Amino acid sequence: MPELPEVETVRRSLVAGLVGRRIVAAQVSLPRVIRYPEVAAFLTRVTDRRITGLGRRAKYLLIHLDSGDDLMVHLRMTGRLLLQRPAEPVESHTHVILTLDDSHQLRFQDARTFGGFYLLGSDLAGAPPGFLRLGAEPLTAAFTRGYLRKTLQGRKGRVKSLLLNQDLIGGLGNIYADEALFRSGIHPACTGASLTAPAVSRLHAAINQVIAESLALGGTTFYSYVDGQGNRGQNVENLRVYGREGEPCLVCGARIERIVLGGRSSHYCPSCQKRRGTQRQRNKRREQ
DNA sequence: CTAAGTACCTGTCCGC
DNA sequence: TGCGGACAGGTACTTA
């Protein structure tokens, strides 16, 4: 499940192989993964363009082209971008192949086909609506404690669901939302409005921390995520609650529980993350 | 406006 | 061994 650290790791892993290269051929075997524009126009506008840089916004990867267009990719659940040689076997569920002028190919593979491509001009026509509304990202100057406080203020939704809302915070997904709530000692079912100022501060620090740590380890490979070279991320070792239902809490030994909130699994420690605002900093390390 | 529920999609896993 | 069903979750869309 590529979230911010995974998409950023993919970006970094592709810079050396893509920047400066020209796309000499493009093939699409599953038209619906090209979300905008129509496949024919997409192929025309991509072919013979040089890649000038790679960017990222939240979970969107941006391939800048010398035409001024951005080739934007969202991996969703199972999407992969792989830089491979033409002689390497094409793996199943490969839907897009861009052949480069140095005889490498950028291949898009996605078993569940949730992911897709958008070719965007400067007017951003065709961009998915959510892209235009993205909130501040962890680890950026815009993502301050004050921003998080104002964002959660007065919200009756559950903090877990609020953290997943990309309009509010760009780049968090289910894994890091659960991890950040654990580290800040906040029960996922608390409403945004119920969080005290110290709790918001701890949450802010924890979000930045779990993202930074995962980035340093090349992301979390839980199911299918790999970077552009096919390498797995090493952050699974670092997960404290996600995917650990029934296992002992690493801080207090209580059994990790799983509940469903907003249709998503939420993993938490019932002892470290109390529902009510009773401040328990016991068992919590200082997150700095 | 906010919040919650569902659709999309298919490989994997589990129980019988 | 085979098979049905639950499950995984990011985002768009619908409903209240």
Side-chain angles (χ1 to χ4, degrees), chain A residues 10 14 61 73 75 79-83 106-108 117 227-228:
Chain A
V10 169
L14 290 174
L61 181 75
V73 186
L75 303 175
R80 292 172 166 179
L81 281 174
L82 296 166
L83 195 58
L106 182 67
R107 297 174 177 175
F108 174 70
F117 286 67
D227 73 11

Side-chain angles (χ1 to χ4, degrees), chain A residues 175-190:
Chain A
I175 295 177
Y176 301 115
D178 279 2
E179 293 296 310
L181 288 169
F182 172 75
R183 293 207 193 184
S184 46
I186 296 169
H187 191 290
C190 288

Side-chain angles (χ1 to χ4, degrees), chain A residues 57-58 130 133-137 147 165-171:
Chain A
R57 178 74 176 92
R133 298 191 308 251
L134 288 170
E137 289 185 35
Y147 176 87
N165 184 340
Q166 304 296 296
D167 299 358
L168 307 181
I169 304 171

Side-chain angles (χ1 to χ4, degrees), chain A residues 82 84-92 94 97 105 107 109:
Chain A
L82 296 166
Q84 298 178 320
R85 295 185 172 278
E88 292 180 76
V90 175
E91 296 174 53
S92 53
T94 296
I97 298 181
Q105 292 180 330
R107 297 174 177 175
Q109 181 198 21

Side-chain angles (χ1 to χ4, degrees), chain A residues 178-179 222 239-247 256 267:
Chain A
D178 279 2
E179 293 296 310
F222 210 83
L239 300 182
R240 302 184 189 174
V241 286
Y242 185 87
R244 298 194 63 242
E245 182 186 9
E247 294 175 36
I256 301 300
H267 310 74

Side-chain angles (χ1 to χ4, degrees), chain A residues 96-285:
Chain A
V96 179
I97 298 181
L98 302 180
T99 301
L100 309 174
D101 60 0
D102 69 346
S103 78
H104 275 78
Q105 292 180 330
L106 182 67
R107 297 174 177 175
F108 174 70
Q109 181 198 21
D110 188 357
R112 290 172 68 181
T113 69
F114 278 20
F117 286 67
Y118 305 80
L119 187 61
L120 303 180
S122 52
D123 61 358
L124 300 183
F131 180 72
L132 306 173
R133 298 191 308 251
L134 288 170
E137 289 185 35
L139 302 179
T140 65
F143 184 66
T144 59
R145 271 182 303 177
Y147 176 87
L148 187 62
R149 177 170 36 79
K150 277 193 284 184
T151 295
L152 299 178
Q153 218 163 42
R155 291 281 189 156
K156 295 198 170 73
R158 301 183 146 153
V159 63
K160 168 62 184 287
S161 301
L162 297 172
L163 292 182
L164 292 179
N165 184 340
Q166 304 296 296
D167 299 358
L168 307 181
I169 304 171
L172 282 188
N174 210 33
I175 295 177
Y176 301 115
D178 279 2
E179 293 296 310
L181 288 169
F182 172 75
R183 293 207 193 184
S184 46
I186 296 169
H187 191 290
C190 288
T191 65
S194 73
L195 299 187
T196 61
V200 172
S201 274
R202 281 183 279 126
L203 181 57
H204 174 260
I207 289 169
N208 279 336
Q209 191 178 54
V210 296
I211 295 296
E213 286 179 12
S214 181
L215 220 31
L217 291 171
T220 302
T221 296
F222 210 83
Y223 298 108
S224 61
Y225 160 75
V226 293
D227 73 11
Q229 317 292 337
N231 299 314
R232 300 164 57 87
Q234 301 305 309
N235 194 58
V236 218
E237 318 284 331
N238 199 26
L239 300 182
R240 302 184 189 174
V241 286
Y242 185 87
R244 298 194 63 242
E245 182 186 9
E247 294 175 36
C249 172
L250 300 173
V251 172
C252 75
R255 285 164 60 90
I256 301 300
E257 293 184 1
R258 184 179 77 90
I259 54 174
V260 175
L261 295 174
R264 295 290 168 259
S265 290
S266 295
H267 310 74
Y268 69 102
C269 170
S271 163
C272 294
Q273 296 167 267
K274 293 291 191 191
R275 186 66 164 274
R276 278 297 178 185
T278 58
Q279 290 77 327
R280 39 188 312 134
Q281 286 128 305
R282 277 176 57 86
N283 303 338
K284 289 278 112 37
R285 344 210 163 106

